[in-house]
Amino acid sequence: MKIIIAGAGEVGFHLAKLLSYESQDITLIDPLKENLHYADTHLDIRTLRGDATSIRVLRDAKVDQADLVIAVSSSEAINITISVLAKQLGAKRTIARISNTEFLDEEEKIGFKGFGIDELISPESLASKEIELLLNQSAFNDSYEFEEGALTMVGVHLQRTAQFVGKSVQEAGEIFPEVHFMPIAIQRFGTQYTLIPRGDTQFKEGDQVYFITTTGGVDELYKLTGKTRRNMRNIMILGGSNIGEQSARKLAASGINVKLIEINPEKAFDLADRLPEVLVISGDGRNVDLLQEESIHEMDAFIAVTGNSETNIISCLMAKSKSVGKTISLVENMDYFQLSHSIGIDTLINKKLLAANNIFRYVRKGEVVAMTKLNNMNAELLEFVVRDDSPLSGKKIMDIDIPRSAIVGGVIREGEGNIVLGNFVIQSGDRVVVCCLPRSISKVEKLFQ
């Protein structure tokens, strides 16, 4: 697949890095030499210095042969321009990164596809949605919804009190014979090894386990894992970034009491004008006295989304020390993901990873409509649509040649989520959610082509 990435900033470089690992034909364009130097020397990709809004530069990149053009510079106006030009010059599909969420709200009305933009993505909006979902599933440290919650992926760190511990997958399922959840991936405590569970796989204390569940299965998982669903009434947000503002607005609109702390006085006043339902505080969120004055011990959740990863992590640890039940930290360094559980922060989120997940479904073969990578685990979760002419249609799952390093987590049929076993018959139009390790991705893709 030939892919052109315009913009070698954080998101663009991260995408180029991930895609280069998959032997894709990548061209990375940026006007600044220093932005391209590291990619040129460390990644197996082509780099091209120049302005991607230039028709000459796009032609040099062979845009007419491109399967996908991804415009992810820091300027949404430039990204929109690049996408329109690329489409007119022959690119098959275009994606533009934006920061103005009004474009997302009015996407269908304006009709961006009509003038050459197939998809709009906003890393900030994706992060805000992730925060909202994590707060809804308060006891879990990772989550992802398929088809507006018909199926939900949740991740949980197993403690000794969990009924699962010491039992096999089959034994755990027998506790609730009406199956409403399915374990799809396990990472053993203290290792980086990802395991696709089978019936005889045993759950152990300290495991990070991912489940696919229906709406009813969420409550069962709370009971089995020994977790408690917390009602979110009071939430403190550190940082008046786009993510902080979007999250504060959505949470306040749902009736939650939100306090937002912003260190820049002028920005704090502007936020107070734009967010009348939110208590905006001008101050340094690293100041322990300020946090105590603002009753951090009464907060149900603390969300740190400043532009500094270290500030976010330290402030979340401070919140944990004050008995805040749920902490979420925005980080830029992917290496921090491996530390999240050991240092005591509930969830780390990363804009680059969220954007990459959103874009990756266009790289996968077969009709992939949704995709996410499991945080800090070597596995992907993909949602395929079964076509009318698919050889899978009419087959039982047990009769499909699914690799052992992959598992069907669930099937969405006519908008309803189903946790399925081997005798379930796949039909045309079904949306099948599959979790797989990297070595089995190509084989799984072929099944759904």
Side-chain angles (χ1 to χ4, degrees), residues 324-379:
V324 175
K326 181 83 171 179
T327 53
I328 301 173
S329 174
L330 177 71
V331 296
E332 295 301 324
N333 190 332
M334 299 291 290
D335 295 333
Y336 287 154
F337 274 90
Q338 298 179 12
L339 301 173
S340 60
H341 301 306
S342 61
I343 63 177
I345 296 174
D346 293 308
T347 307
L348 301 181
I349 58 173
N350 179 281
K351 291 188 296 182
K352 294 178 289 188
L353 184 60
L354 292 169
N357 286 348
N358 196 268
I359 290 169
F360 249 79
R361 69 183 190 269
Y362 298 106
V363 179
R364 294 283 171 241
K365 297 173 184 174
E367 194 167 338
V368 179
V369 291
M371 195 224 105
T372 187
K373 286 179 177 286
L374 305 186
N375 281 351
N376 198 31
M377 294 180 79
N378 197 24

Side-chain angles (χ1 to χ4, degrees), residues 102-116:
E102 286 182 338
F103 290 154
L104 293 175
D105 297 336
E106 303 290 340
E107 188 171 358
E108 290 187 11
K109 186 174 181 181
I110 295 174
F112 286 95
K113 287 186 179 180
F115 51 87

Side-chain angles (χ1 to χ4, degrees), residues 70-137:
I70 308 167
V72 285
S73 77
S74 58
S75 167
E76 67 182 15
I78 288 175
N79 295 336
I80 289 171
T81 302
I82 292 168
S83 298
V84 172
L85 287 174
K87 194 74 168 185
Q88 295 303 314
L89 291 170
K92 291 185 177 67
R93 182 177 286 275
T94 61
I95 300 174
R97 174 188 177 179
I98 58 153
S99 55
N100 185 351
T101 54
E102 286 182 338
F103 290 154
L104 293 175
D105 297 336
E106 303 290 340
E107 188 171 358
E108 290 187 11
K109 186 174 181 181
I110 295 174
F112 286 95
K113 287 186 179 180
F115 51 87
I117 304 174
D118 294 299
E119 184 83 8
L120 296 172
I121 64 161
S122 166
E124 293 78 15
S125 181
L126 291 170
S128 178
K129 288 178 181 176
E130 180 81 354
I131 288 168
E132 191 176 9
L133 185 56
L134 286 165
L135 293 174
N136 284 337
Q137 307 294 352

Side-chain angles (χ1 to χ4, degrees), residues 296-337:
I296 189 170
H297 58 281
E298 296 179 358
M299 296 296 130
D300 298 302
F302 183 89
I303 304 163
V305 287
T306 74
N308 185 289
S309 300
E310 288 74 22
T311 295
N312 295 338
I313 290 172
I314 294 299
S315 59
C316 279
L317 292 175
M318 177 60 66
K320 270 296 181 187
S321 74
K322 302 299 179 184
S323 301
V324 175
K326 181 83 171 179
T327 53
I328 301 173
S329 174
L330 177 71
V331 296
E332 295 301 324
N333 190 332
M334 299 291 290
D335 295 333
Y336 287 154
F337 274 90

Side-chain angles (χ1 to χ4, degrees), residues 106-171:
E106 303 290 340
E107 188 171 358
E108 290 187 11
K109 186 174 181 181
I110 295 174
F112 286 95
K113 287 186 179 180
F115 51 87
I117 304 174
D118 294 299
E119 184 83 8
L120 296 172
I121 64 161
S122 166
E124 293 78 15
S125 181
L126 291 170
S128 178
K129 288 178 181 176
E130 180 81 354
I131 288 168
E132 191 176 9
L133 185 56
L134 286 165
L135 293 174
N136 284 337
Q137 307 294 352
S138 58
F140 303 118
N141 54 36
D142 196 5
S143 57
Y144 187 86
E145 286 188 344
F146 294 92
E147 305 306 313
E148 299 182 350
L151 290 176
T152 301
M153 178 273 289
V154 293
V156 63
H157 195 63
L158 290 189
Q159 298 172 337
R160 189 180 304 171
T161 54
Q163 294 183 49
F164 279 15
V165 172
K167 292 182 172 61
S168 68
V169 171
Q170 184 175 351
E171 289 169 340

